Every structure is written in structure tokens, then in C-alpha cells.
Amino acid sequence: MSNTRIAVIGLGYVGLPLAAAFAAKYPVVGFDINQQRVSELNAGNDFTLEVDSDTLKAVLTNAPETKGLLCSTQLDHIKTCNYYIVTVPTPTDKHNRPDLTPLYKASETVGKVLKKGDIVVYESTVYPGVTEDECIPVLERVSGLKFNLDFFAGYSPERINPGDKEHTVTKILKVTSGSTPEVAEKVDQLYKSVITAGTFKATSIKVAEAAKVIENSQRDINIAFVNELSKIFNKLGIDTNEVLDAAGTKWNFLKFKPGLVGGHCIGVDPYYLAQKAQEVGYHPEIILAGRRLNDGMGAYVAEEVVKLMVKKEVQVKNARCLVLGFTFKENCPDVRNTKVIDIIKELNNYHIEPVIFDPWANPAEVQHEYGCSVVNELPAGTFEAAILAVSHKEFAGIDIKKHLIPNGVIFDVKSFLPKEIVDARL
């Protein structure tokens, strides 16, 4: 693999860690259409915090020849590559339908520089068939080349866990696949050369696509189950976490916790599988039921807070509620598809003013994406209620009661705070 030159298309949460890992061994060009992002990376800074500055600066180079990472927005810089790895987002639209626009655009970009013998590997999460039925035709149309004759393809689903410094890209076993047995082996060997956890070669691209989309669908359904349990046990006056601790003593009990299900994977991927199932004439019941339940948890939390305020005779209208956390998960700056916004919207419906404190979130990004304000420092004043929405480590030392009126309400979404100080938790 001495002549291997890799282009990674998309330098976000998935693409950058992968590009950095490959750059320690191969010449790599990281391509992104966002000039601000590329400039930031070339300065050795990653706002996602997935790659630390020292690691990034160690692999950066202006002209990779034997190894190193060049970040660029220029198409000319990826012309000489022979492996193209696509790591762009695969979101859903406002109707929860898969939006393949980023994949189509990335495929057009690759198609403009595709040459005979090149291999295009997709990592973006999709439903089975997208690589061969949607992306390959774009590559053929733009390049004028024939699939599996002039160029080849593979699929290796990303397994990045934002904010996780233990399960980093090279330490997570990688599923690989290829459009022919020979290409499947080449793709597998490429990833195996940098993934210390090893690889698993799937029997086909569609199998690899399906494996990825069910990973997160399975988690989504399991979390939906415990979210439903939380609602039931709340009505029965039983602490859900105490029930889960007791049940968890059985060796094969799955220890899922209730909570908000956001982010760019678990809250999105099941819709991709559901879409494909409906296209072939099957209506998925469990998958969509789990999605509906999880999508409703933000509003449920806000409603429970209002009920508690009424019970404690706290004025609801024009009250202020301190919301601790806005990112989709703890100790991570990622606000993509955060479900905390659902709590915010429901509080607004009750004419409660949410005051959001999150030391990790970028206020400008939150304002742009969601139209609401976030502060990075604990705000002054007192509040009628507080909701611990995200269990950032910075929240552990805060005396929340000190910031509330005497009979103020505390709701703990993450079961993070001492039980004796909270009025309710999921």
C-alpha cells in the first residue's frame, strides 16, 4: 500500500479523527467546503474537541508526500488521491425523512476527480442500498466512468462517539466492505493498517449499511423502553433508577437509562431504516413507536416541571427556569439535534422564561441553529425552577438550591444530582 493517497471528504466529528489517524501513516488530504473550518484546522484547532491541538499539529503538513494531513477546500488538492472516503452528515428533514443532499453533493465532488482504479468508500450512516443505488450513479454520471470496471466502492460505517476519549476512532472495531471481493479486501487492509481494534469484513456493502443503521436503532428502542418505564413508575410513585439498579443485578439485564435521545446518530438513524422499510411495503411499528416516545421526552420533562410548580404553589406564568446544559450529551460541545430544545419550547408554551447555562456549547452556534440564547457562565439571580438536562462535569459542584426561590422546583433528567435535593428525576 506504498502508493496509497487518501482524501477524506468532510472534516467534521467523523472525518477529522479519521483523517488524523490515516495521516500518521499515509499522505492524506482533508477536503471540506467550509473555509472557516479548514483555516481553523490548519491553525491546529478543532472546535469539536475530537482531536487535540498537539495531535493535530503533529500530522499537519502543507504538502503530504510520504505522510501527513493537508486540509483544503481546493479540488485540485485531491486529484492525485486513489482512495476517497466520504464522511459527510446524513440528516433528516423537518418531516423526519432522510436528506441525502450532502451525500449527493459529496459524490459530485468526488466524481469530478475520479480516475480509473480509484476506490470510493462511504462512511455516512444510510439505509441499505444508498451507496450502490444513490451514490454510485452520481459518481458514474459526473466522472463518465463505469462502476466495478473503471472505479470501485466500499462502505465502512463510522462509529464515532462524540466526546468519548476512551473509545476513539482507532480503538473501535471497524466494519468494512467492498463492491467486489478484491476491493473488499483492499478496503479492509487499508482500515486494518490504522485501526488497532481490528476490522470485520462484511459480506456486502448492503450488509454493512444495514449493520450500522440497526446499531443505533437498537439503542433507540431500548432507551424508549426505559423512558416508558420512567413514565409508568412516576405515576406509581416508584424511583425508576432504583428499579433499574435492582433489575440490573441479573446477569443478562441490559442497563439502559431513561433520558433525552438527541445527537446525529441515535435520534436520526432509525428514520433511515423506517424510510427504506416503507419503500418496500413494510410499516415498521416498533422502530417508529420508539422514535415517537423518545421525541416526546423533552415536552414531557417540561410538563412534569410545571405540575411540580403547581403542587408547590410556585407561580408558573413569567417564572424563570434555569436549564443546565444544552448540548446533546455530557462533556461535549456538539449541539446537533439536541433534544434540550424541546424542553425550551415547551417551557415557552407555559410562558416560563428558560435561562440556559452550558459551559460547553458555543452561544453563536446555538443562536444560529436554534434561535435561543446560551450563556457559558452561571447566570445571576434566583429562579422558580431548575432542570438538569445534561450531566456536564462542571455541574457537579453547583449548589442549585442556592439559586432558587425557597420552594423552587428541581428536576433531574440525568439522575446526576443528589437524590435528596431534587423534586423529581427521570
Side-chain angles (χ1 to χ4, degrees):
M1 306 180 77
S2 58
N3 64 337
T4 298
R5 291 183 59 84
I6 302 168
V8 176
I9 314 299
L11 294 174
Y13 282 86
V14 174
L16 180 64
L18 186 70
F22 275 125
K25 190 167 185 177
Y26 302 104
V28 178
V29 179
F31 180 88
D32 201 289
I33 59 173
N34 186 334
Q35 181 60 61
Q36 182 179 342
R37 172 66 168 162
V38 168
S39 298
E40 170 196 78
L41 294 176
N42 281 329
N45 301 312
D46 170 28
F47 81 88
T48 71
L49 305 181
E50 291 302 303
V51 180
D52 64 76
S53 290
D54 289 343
T55 302
L56 184 55
K57 289 176 180 177
V59 296
L60 283 174
T61 178
N62 290 325
E65 294 176 359
T66 55
K67 63 181 181 180
L69 172 63
L70 169 67
C71 299
S72 176
T73 59
Q74 297 180 40
L75 205 59
D76 284 349
H77 285 153
I78 63 173
K79 279 184 175 179
T80 60
C81 295
N82 46 24
Y83 281 90
Y84 295 90
I85 302 177
V86 178
T87 62
V88 296
T90 43
T92 55
D93 63 18
K94 63 181 180 179
H95 303 295
N96 292 322
R97 293 177 302 209
D99 180 5
L100 300 178
T101 303
L103 271 182
Y104 291 142
K105 295 290 187 183
S107 297
E108 288 175 356
T109 297
V110 173
K112 292 174 184 177
V113 295
L114 202 60
K115 310 171 296 301
K116 287 191 175 183
D118 288 350
I119 297 174
V120 185
V121 181
Y122 290 87
E123 289 214 359
S124 308
T125 302
V126 293
Y127 54 78
V130 166
T131 299
E132 292 156 298
D133 300 340
E134 300 291 339
C135 298
I136 296 304
V138 175
L139 293 173
E140 288 187 315
R141 172 175 57 80
V142 176
S143 69
L145 302 175
K146 290 296 180 183
F147 177 50
N148 275 347
L149 181 64
D150 299 319
F151 73 94
F152 306 88
Y155 183 79
S156 181
E158 60 90 1
R159 281 176 167 170
I160 291 293
N161 187 25
D164 190 337
K165 300 308 177 187
E166 181 182 352
H167 303 96
T168 52
V169 62
T170 60
K171 298 177 183 176
I172 303 172
L173 195 141
K174 202 85 163 69
V175 173
T176 66
S177 63
S179 55
T180 69
E182 294 76 20
V183 169
E185 180 60 21
K186 284 185 177 181
V187 171
D188 191 66
Q189 290 300 322
L190 177 68
Y191 279 100
K192 191 175 287 184
S193 67
V194 296
I195 304 295
T196 56
T199 60
F200 177 92
K201 187 164 60 173
T203 54
S204 70
I205 287 176
K206 285 187 174 68
V207 166
E209 291 170 326
K212 170 56 182 177
V213 81
I214 71 165
E215 287 175 17
N216 288 326
S217 297
Q218 182 187 67
R219 286 186 57 78
D220 192 43
I221 291 165
N222 277 294
I223 297 170
F225 174 59
V226 292
N227 274 337
E228 188 162 66
L229 292 180
S230 177
K231 290 184 174 183
I232 294 169
F233 294 145
N234 178 44
K235 289 186 175 294
L236 295 175
I238 303 172
D239 188 294
T240 304
N241 287 275
E242 292 177 3
V243 175
L244 294 173
D245 286 343
T249 59
K250 190 173 183 226
W251 74 90
N252 61 351
F253 184 81
L254 302 178
K255 297 181 180 180
F256 286 89
K257 295 282 188 180
L260 305 174
V261 184
H264 201 65
C265 293
I266 301 177
V268 173
D269 297 353
Y271 287 122
Y272 273 74
L273 185 56
Q275 171 76 15
K276 190 60 179 179
Q278 290 168 332
E279 285 179 7
V280 295
Y282 180 80
H283 179 73
E285 298 184 40
I286 293 175
I287 295 171
L288 290 179
R291 278 284 74 237
R292 284 193 298 272
L293 200 147
N294 284 340
D295 274 349
M297 289 305 291
Y300 171 77
V301 168
E303 289 164 4
E304 289 301 304
V305 169
V306 171
K307 289 177 186 177
L308 288 166
M309 292 173 72
V310 171
K311 285 180 183 177
K312 297 183 76 171
E313 299 183 345
V314 176
Q315 180 178 316
V316 173
K317 190 173 183 181
N318 298 324
R320 297 171 78 228
C321 179
L322 176 63
V323 179
L324 296 165
F326 189 81
T327 61
F328 95 89
K329 66 180 291 188
E330 67 278 1
N331 307 323
C332 169
D334 194 350
V335 298
R336 293 176 300 170
N337 195 34
T338 176
K339 291 304 175 183
V340 181
I341 190 62
D342 295 339
I343 297 177
I344 305 303
K345 289 177 179 177
E346 195 65 18
L347 290 175
N348 285 327
N349 288 339
Y350 285 100
H351 299 282
I352 297 173
E353 179 191 351
V355 180
I356 311 166
F357 165 45
D358 191 314
W360 288 80
N362 183 322
E365 183 183 5
V366 174
Q367 184 65 48
H368 179 264
E369 294 297 327
Y370 297 98
C372 57
S373 299
V374 168
V375 294
N376 296 134
E377 300 289 338
L378 185 62
T382 55
F383 302 85
E384 281 71 27
I387 300 173
L388 188 289
V390 186
S391 53
H392 291 315
K393 59 188 178 183
E394 288 84 354
F395 297 154
I398 296 176
D399 183 0
I400 296 177
K401 274 190 171 294
K402 192 174 92 172
H403 300 276
L404 297 182
I405 62 172
N407 58 337
V409 169
I410 301 177
F411 192 102
D412 187 358
V413 172
K414 300 292 290 183
S415 296
F416 180 73
L417 302 171
K419 183 183 176 183
E420 60 271 14
I421 74 163
V422 304
D423 294 280
R425 59 184 187 174
L426 281 185

